[in-house]
Amino acid sequence: SHRQRMLVPSASFTGSGRIRLLGNPHPAPMASRRPRSGLRPSIVPCFVAFATISSLLSLSMAFKEEEFRYCKDSSFCRRQRKFEGQDDRATYRLHNVHVVDNGVVAEMKNALNPDQPLKLRATIYKSGIFRIEIDEAASSKPRYRVKDVLVGDISQHSVKGELSVEGGFAKYRSGDHELSLQLDPLPFLARLTYKGEVLFVMNSRNLLKWEVRREKSSEGAMEDITGENDGLWEESFRAHQDSKPNGPESIGVDFDFMGAKHVYGLPERGSRLMLGNTRGEGAARDEPYRLYNLDVFEYEVTADRAHQPLYGAVPILLSHRPNFSSALFWLNAAETMVDVEDGLSMKRTHWFSESGVIDVFLLSSDTPKGVQMQYASLVGTQFMPPAFSLGYHQCRWNYKDDADVRMVDSKFDEHDIPYDVLWLDIEHTVGKRYLTWDKHLFPDPEGLQHDLASRGRKMVTIIDPHLKVDMGYSVYAEAKRLGFFCKNKDGGDFEGHCWPGTSSWLDYLNPEVRDYWASRFLPSNYVGSTEHLYTWNDMNEPSVFNGPEITMPKDLLHHGNVEHRDVHNLYGFYMTMATVAGHKLLRPGRRPFILSRAFFAGSQRYAAVWTGDNGARWDHLASATPMLLQLSLGGIHFCGADVGGFFGNPEPELLVRWYQAAAYTPFFRGHAHIDTQRREPWLFGDVVMGQIRAAIRSRYLVLPYLYTLFHEAHTRGLPIMRPLWMEFPSDEITTAMDDSFMLGDALLVKPVVSANIRSSNVYLPSEKDDIWYPFRSGQTPKEEGVFTSLWSRFRGQKGSVRGQQAGGKTISVDSGVEQGIPVFQRGGTIIPTRERARRSTSAMRADPYTLHVALNVKSEAAGSLYMDDGDSDEHAAGGFLLFSLKFQSGRLEFRKTEGSGFSLPHAPPSLERVIVYGMTRQPARVTLKRNDGSESDLEFIFDKESAILVVRKPNALMNEEWTISF
């Protein structure tokens, strides 16, 4: 989270809440809230500084666009955008196409650089993915190629296709996929066809522009074919100089998404899910989408700011139309831009990066889920989180001391509000020295953690990548001795400013540095830590207060003499990789939990992600859904937005609505800025507290379903939070919708994102005669007919069964604050829940289950339930149970499909209740047949008007198979 720094004399605000010395391009370091010695500061200087900063705070706490570059400020962007493919000298043509090692290889030449050809390689993988790689055939300065993002040796999954040459094209085929490469003398062009349908065309506008690496003294090195010659060998931005020792080296090419009306992806940005045009008709701003991890203070979420990159980058763009889904994954970690505009029955895109190579994966499938699984096969799946991390997290900058933490913890119990994790921000350390505890504030951190753990709760502490320059600080001193910091262009340790003042940044690209960082998490090094402590990696874009755009200079050097410009978007990725390794040292055989602000493709293997420094505003609540869907499509499945907004003071209604929406998102955390008013639920009066309690309890109710979805994400690569079109690919109305979402395949959630709303219009999609039921939010049936109250939320709508609604239409639903947001269960699904109010996830482990069976038009339903011990890595070796749930022909079957089981510290949980929605007839009897063959009659109630049947206390064990017959 971004924070204000204390004022120093003769300072002026320059935006983003940071202070700069007058006449000095470098900002002053933050004055710690405690002095470096750890002794208490004098109140007078702090008060004067605070009074000064308060008078200017309203002017500073807003997004300052002048702090960030636009295309006009970036020479490679200007050159790539100005290039129109009209100059034949720059046109590449394809020669000598042949098959080598399960791939097609060809040479690419143009007249501009005839002695410096490019090499193209095209590969097909078993899942139907096409990869196109372009690099210089030979160079004295090899270009950087991204490492560690792709999982395993994907070359082992390549297949040998059939190559033929016909009609000026080389065609490479495998199964339903075909790649056509246009040959010399015509310009290079590639066309990807799937099942006879053209999905992608590469270089149709001849925008392939490759800036060949060369010496500065070589002929033509000071000129570009576009005439855009400024900034070729050095450039500046706001008094920051970029030496650019390799000169111009950008690469770019265009791709057409054929038949696409919308494209999605390119996280992270505060935009609609459907990406608008950046050029031509409909463009909110003539500015390309930018992928460059940055610390953006209180970002805006308007259409004209959609180009602004935020904290992470995943260079993937997706499209969908009935019967076909596709995606383009651009594997490049340098600063990357993407233009989007309309073509004739297509979306035209132009991709360009400042350095690196062209390494593109073209994904295609019949369904959106097929594309998601293809993508997961490349970059890996969501890590399987510990069960506690799916509960509610309570955070603030900052819970000030031991007594404050204990008070907050006790108040949750006093008011019967469940939560699982208490977080500490930067003030818990000794002068912002991470991996330390301020013993004046937290005299017994181990005892505090053990006390929380006695009630089933955990703690998270913040650990940022900047290390205070202080030889008395062991983490820094040892890293300094070992030469583990990022280097400036002259080879010395890079120093910049962040929270502790002058700081250095570890070079996580170095495997030895990652090992060093991991070792810091051992209790002997991180004194005061216990097995109950987990980690928050913030500021890891990385944020450098006095750097260009508040980040590292591009000409810094990493391990292997790699320039920072080549790997900028990977810094946070490698930091979380190292932190995970540290958790595995601390807790061998147990699952880590790490939250990261920065990320890249593949970060889902290591960390959860949140949307950063949002505001307590209705538009930021509205933007949370499309932003989280955007992340989910990019593989970042464990994601959430800070409840209530980090900046500002939310009005009670906004806070409640945020809790109601966030309860159904993968990561669920409340967080607030140090200058905001305290906002724990009990501070708003009994009515508001009760509404927040109900929202948080609704999260705990669906945890069995959510945990099952995480297993699916971990094993299959499917998002937990999904756009409607992923579940309803033939319903074209859904392709332009991002104000509601599917949680898995069963629940549709429509957040309320405006004040004073009493009713909401909800579109219920349909694939094939879908029907929907309102999903209950925690009421326990106690008498016959109680469910009729559920249907009262519908306004003027009638279904064939009361409360049952046909899909493919919009309905009006009562959605006042006291009623909660609209949530619907899809007919044909079964949702497992646990419905007893507990203080935390660990207190629920032995609780019985309830099954919500929502019948479709065929009176059928299906679902699944995943169970493991919630903490260990045993699930990776089969230590889990996965059961299928199937209702058909009046029988509910519970069958084991995978897993060898796991040990439980308690008796196996049982089945407490079955609720069947859409049951039009009352059965004569309901019977349970157990795994041992024994049978018994079960008690049930049936409400004809609401068409709901409730089976009470079947008490079937949930670790063995059984059947209930109706």
Side-chain angles (χ1 to χ4, degrees):
S1 52
H2 224 301
R3 308 161 176 94
Q4 263 63 47
R5 284 175 288 160
M6 302 300 286
L7 277 174
V8 294
S10 301
S12 67
F13 279 91
T14 60
S16 293
R18 282 165 284 275
I19 316 276
R20 299 235 167 116
L21 291 176
L22 294 176
N24 188 338
H26 303 293
M30 177 181 180
S32 297
R33 295 180 63 82
R34 301 184 59 77
R36 296 176 187 179
S37 66
L39 300 176
R40 297 192 177 278
S42 166
I43 192 170
V44 176
C46 287
F47 175 80
V48 172
F50 182 76
T52 307
I53 197 170
S54 296
S55 67
L56 296 172
L57 198 55
S58 62
L59 297 176
S60 70
M61 288 185 64
F63 175 78
K64 297 292 197 247
E65 62 178 310
E66 66 271 13
E67 294 220 347
F68 302 101
R69 288 187 297 130
Y70 294 81
C71 188
K72 64 181 176 60
D73 304 310
S74 175
S75 63
F76 91 90
C77 182
R78 296 196 304 269
R79 294 192 303 272
Q80 288 284 346
R81 271 191 135 202
K82 193 171 182 179
F83 182 70
E84 297 179 342
Q86 302 299 313
D87 192 326
D88 192 61
R89 294 175 299 160
T91 297
Y92 279 97
R93 292 174 169 83
L94 214 57
H95 306 267
N96 190 25
V97 180
H98 58 286
V99 175
V100 176
D101 297 330
N102 283 5
V104 169
V105 175
E107 188 177 59
M108 306 177 73
K109 291 184 177 181
N110 68 7
L112 190 64
N113 301 291
D115 298 327
Q116 295 172 298
L118 305 180
K119 180 181 179 181
L120 177 145
R121 180 181 178 88
T123 310
I124 310 175
Y125 297 104
K126 292 176 183 177
S127 60
I129 300 170
F130 258 102
R131 183 182 192 179
I132 298 175
E133 301 168 86
I134 301 176
D135 198 355
E136 289 159 18
S139 174
S140 59
K141 295 181 176 181
R143 290 173 174 256
Y144 179 79
R145 298 179 70 95
V146 171
K147 301 175 177 62
D148 300 313
V149 169
L150 301 178
V151 291
D153 183 2
I154 66 168
S155 66
Q156 299 297 315
H157 302 290
S158 64
V159 296
K160 187 172 184 178
E162 299 176 358
L163 179 65
S164 63
V165 177
E166 49 188 89
F169 281 86
K171 297 186 177 183
Y172 193 51
R173 299 184 183 89
S174 177
D176 292 327
H177 294 81
E178 178 183 280
L179 183 68
S180 299
L181 303 170
Q182 188 166 263
L183 303 174
D184 181 59
L186 295 174
F188 163 69
L189 177 145
R191 184 183 294 118
L192 176 64
T193 302
Y194 173 60
K195 292 186 175 180
E197 190 83 9
V198 178
L199 299 185
F200 295 101
V201 179
M202 178 182 184
N203 206 41
S204 69
R205 292 180 283 166
N206 200 29
L207 297 184
L208 175 57
K209 185 179 194 300
W210 188 285
E211 296 178 342
V212 176
R213 279 187 167 187
R214 63 183 73 195
E215 298 298 328
K216 189 173 183 179
S217 59
S218 64
E219 183 180 354
M222 306 304 293
E223 297 179 350
D224 186 75
I225 194 169
T226 64
E228 186 64 55
N229 299 326
D230 290 341
L232 289 173
W233 287 88
E234 72 173 3
E235 60 185 317
S236 62
F237 176 71
R238 291 174 62 86
H240 295 281
Q241 298 293 322
D242 180 3
S243 62
K244 300 182 73 170
N246 293 315
E249 53 179 328
S250 72
I251 47 100
V253 69
D254 59 287
F255 286 89
D256 296 335
F257 285 71
M258 305 304 294
K261 294 180 180 179
H262 303 286
V263 287
Y264 316 87
L266 303 182
E268 180 181 35
R269 60 197 67 255
S271 72
R272 296 287 305 275
L273 179 62
M274 305 75 66
L275 294 176
N277 291 343
T278 62
R279 307 192 87 166
E281 185 176 355
R285 189 170 193 153
D286 187 8
E287 193 71 31
Y289 294 112
R290 188 177 175 212
L291 292 159
Y292 194 66
N293 295 0
L294 291 173
D295 178 0
V296 182
F297 177 94
E298 201 172 7
Y299 53 86
E300 293 293 340
V301 294
T302 54
D304 65 332
R305 303 245 47 105
H307 68 280
Q308 173 68 44
L310 297 179
Y311 313 97
V314 182
I316 187 171
L317 197 61
L318 306 96
S319 74
H320 170 71
R321 51 189 166 119
N323 303 316
F324 295 103
S325 285
S326 59
L328 186 158
F329 174 47
W330 177 274
L331 185 55
N332 190 305
E335 181 179 0
T336 296
M337 311 273 198
V338 184
D339 268 316
V340 177
E341 57 187 298
D342 288 330
L344 185 61
S345 298
M346 70 179 80
K347 279 290 186 178
R348 315 201 87 163
T349 68
H350 182 199
W351 298 68
F352 41 101
S353 296
E354 184 176 16
S355 61
V357 301
I358 292 177
D359 192 356
V360 177
F361 295 83
L362 301 177
L363 288 58
S364 55
S365 180
D366 299 331
T367 66
K369 291 182 181 179
V371 167
Q372 289 291 309
M373 289 189 286
Q374 286 180 329
Y375 178 59
S377 73
L378 296 174
V379 300
T381 62
Q382 168 64 49
F383 74 93
M384 190 65 198
F388 78 81
S389 64
L390 273 60
Y392 174 62
H393 300 245
Q394 182 66 31
C395 184
R396 179 176 178 81
W397 177 36
N398 204 90
Y399 287 120
K400 57 187 180 183
D401 55 25
D402 183 283
D404 198 12
V405 168
R406 293 179 188 273
M407 182 275 293
V408 170
D409 176 68
S410 67
K411 286 290 186 180
F412 272 94
D413 285 340
E414 178 184 335
H415 296 290
D416 294 322
I417 303 172
Y419 93 102
D420 266 81
V421 191
L422 198 290
W423 294 54
L424 294 179
D425 211 313
I426 58 176
E427 310 301 336
H428 80 280
T429 63
V430 178
K432 318 302 184 295
R433 296 165 177 84
Y434 304 106
L435 299 156
T436 68
W437 293 83
D438 186 330
K439 290 301 183 74
H440 295 280
L441 302 177
F442 295 93
D444 182 15
E446 297 101 324
L448 179 60
Q449 292 163 56
H450 287 303
D451 183 54
L452 290 173
S454 71
R455 289 177 295 284
R457 291 169 180 148
K458 312 294 182 183
M459 178 172 277
V460 167
T461 53
I462 194 168
I463 300 177
D464 292 350
H466 47 268
L467 299 184
K468 182 176 179 62
V469 173
D470 176 4
M471 291 305 289
Y473 171 33
S474 63
V475 182
Y476 169 84
E478 182 67 5
K480 178 76 171 178
R481 184 184 69 81
L482 294 169
F484 280 170
F485 291 116
C486 298
K487 309 299 181 184
N488 60 40
K489 63 182 180 180
D490 301 317
D493 287 348
F494 169 69
E495 294 184 356
H497 289 293
C498 212
W499 298 131
T502 304
S503 305
S504 287
W505 280 256
L506 287 171
D507 181 7
Y508 293 106
L509 272 74
N510 185 342
E512 293 183 16
V513 174
R514 296 199 294 272
D515 289 344
Y516 168 75
W517 183 248
S519 72
R520 298 302 90 191
F521 287 86
L522 292 170
S524 57
N525 291 321
Y526 190 0
V527 176
S529 66
T530 71
E531 62 176 321
H532 309 299
L533 189 65
Y534 295 81
T535 303
W536 173 16
N537 287 156
D538 196 2
M539 312 291 285
N540 54 345
E541 294 75 27
S543 177
V544 181
F545 288 160
N546 62 328
E549 300 191 276
I550 318 155
T551 192
M552 279 185 175
K554 290 181 175 180
D555 54 5
L556 295 190
L557 295 175
H558 291 275
H559 176 67
N561 211 35
V562 174
E563 260 200 305
H564 185 71
R565 83 179 69 249
D566 292 322
V567 296
H568 174 83
N569 289 338
L570 284 172
Y571 189 86
F573 170 90
Y574 278 116
M575 183 187 188
T576 56
M577 179 192 292
T579 304
V580 164
H583 278 220
K584 289 184 177 295
L585 286 178
L586 173 64
R587 287 178 291 268
R590 295 172 61 190
R591 298 175 217 173
F593 171 74
I594 291 133
L595 182 72
S596 176
R597 193 169 70 175
F599 56 87
F600 190 67
S603 285
Q604 65 270 15
R605 307 199 302 262
Y606 306 112
V609 164
W610 91 108
T611 60
D613 296 350
N614 57 359
R617 296 161 29 182
W618 286 101
D619 61 339
H620 275 243
L621 171 57
S623 184
T625 293
M627 289 182 71
L628 297 178
L629 289 172
Q630 187 187 89
L631 288 168
S632 297
L633 290 176
I636 309 295
H637 298 155
F638 199 177
C639 57
D642 281 342
V643 173
F646 176 65
F647 287 109
N649 298 305
E651 58 194 90
E653 183 184 5
L654 172 59
L655 185 61
V656 171
R657 290 303 198 186
W658 215 313
Y659 271 104
Q660 290 173 346
Y664 294 97
T665 61
F667 178 60
F668 186 24
R669 181 181 78 157
H671 186 36
H673 188 277
I674 195 170
D675 291 328
T676 63
Q677 299 167 9
R678 293 287 285 256
R679 60 171 80 152
E680 288 77 25
W682 49 88
L683 299 177
F684 294 86
D686 289 345
V687 173
V688 171
M689 181 182 68
Q691 292 166 348
I692 292 174
R693 180 198 295 120
I696 295 176
R697 283 184 176 175
S698 70
R699 166 56 161 235
Y700 283 79
L701 180 141
V702 299
L703 281 178
Y705 174 63
L706 186 61
Y707 198 57
T708 300
L709 291 178
F710 267 92
H711 170 72
E712 185 177 48
H714 176 64
T715 56
R716 300 182 64 203
L718 295 181
I720 294 157
M721 188 173 172
R722 305 170 185 174
L724 300 187
W725 49 262
M726 183 166 289
E727 287 300 325
F728 303 91
S730 65
D731 188 340
E732 294 193 63
I733 294 175
T734 64
T735 61
M737 299 183 71
D738 61 0
D739 60 352
S740 56
F741 62 90
M742 293 295 297
L743 185 62
D745 65 350
L747 286 181
L748 185 151
V749 181
K750 174 70 182 289
V752 174
V753 296
S754 300
N756 304 315
I757 296 298
R758 300 302 305 169
S759 65
S760 299
N761 291 327
V762 182
Y763 179 74
L764 300 175
S766 181
E767 189 71 11
K768 293 180 180 179
D769 299 320
D770 274 286
I771 55 176
W772 296 86
Y773 304 85
F775 185 69
R776 49 191 290 272
S777 56
Q779 312 99 308
T780 299
K782 297 186 183 301
E783 58 182 300
E784 187 173 359
V786 70
F787 288 101
T788 58
S789 63
L790 292 174
W791 315 141
S792 66
R793 296 179 64 181
F794 292 107
R795 299 165 60 86
Q797 301 291 332
K798 293 183 179 180
S800 58
V801 173
R802 182 175 176 136
Q804 183 187 103
Q805 294 295 325
K809 64 180 181 180
T810 299
I811 65 170
S812 182
V813 182
D814 288 341
S815 54
V817 176
E818 69 282 359
Q819 295 157 311
I821 62 174
V823 182
F824 292 88
Q825 183 173 356
R826 183 183 186 179
T829 64
I830 301 175
I831 294 177
T833 62
R834 276 176 158 162
E835 313 213 350
R836 298 187 180 183
R838 302 293 192 189
R839 61 158 52 112
S840 64
T841 55
S842 67
M844 301 170 65
R845 286 183 297 194
D847 281 357
Y849 288 88
T850 291
L851 298 178
H852 296 259
V853 182
L855 301 183
N856 60 17
V857 293
K858 297 180 180 179
S859 294
E860 297 175 351
S864 59
L865 175 64
Y866 173 81
M867 297 175 286
D868 62 23
D869 62 21
D871 183 64
S872 79
D873 290 332
E874 291 299 315
H875 66 95
F880 64 90
L881 289 172
L882 180 64
F883 285 89
S884 67
L885 288 154
K886 186 176 182 180
F887 188 100
Q888 189 176 34
S889 303
R891 288 157 49 96
L892 175 61
E893 296 180 343
F894 189 64
R895 298 288 182 265
K896 177 182 169 183
T897 58
E898 289 184 59
S900 57
F902 57 97
S903 59
L904 291 169
H906 50 74
S910 63
L911 180 63
E912 182 175 40
R913 187 183 300 110
V914 177
I915 307 171
V916 184
Y917 303 87
M919 193 76 151
T920 56
R921 63 172 183 83
Q922 178 171 341
R925 59 188 295 217
V926 178
T927 60
L928 168 67
K929 184 176 182 179
R930 298 179 180 83
N931 195 38
D932 61 7
S934 63
E935 295 189 19
S936 59
D937 286 339
L938 301 178
E939 179 186 353
F940 68 93
I941 58 174
F942 176 71
D943 186 272
K944 183 177 181 180
E945 185 179 10
S946 59
I948 295 178
L949 183 145
V950 180
V951 180
R952 292 176 165 177
K953 299 181 180 179
N955 294 326
L957 295 180
M958 299 299 281
N959 65 340
E960 62 182 34
E961 297 181 346
W962 45 257
T963 301
I964 296 177
S965 299
F966 297 82

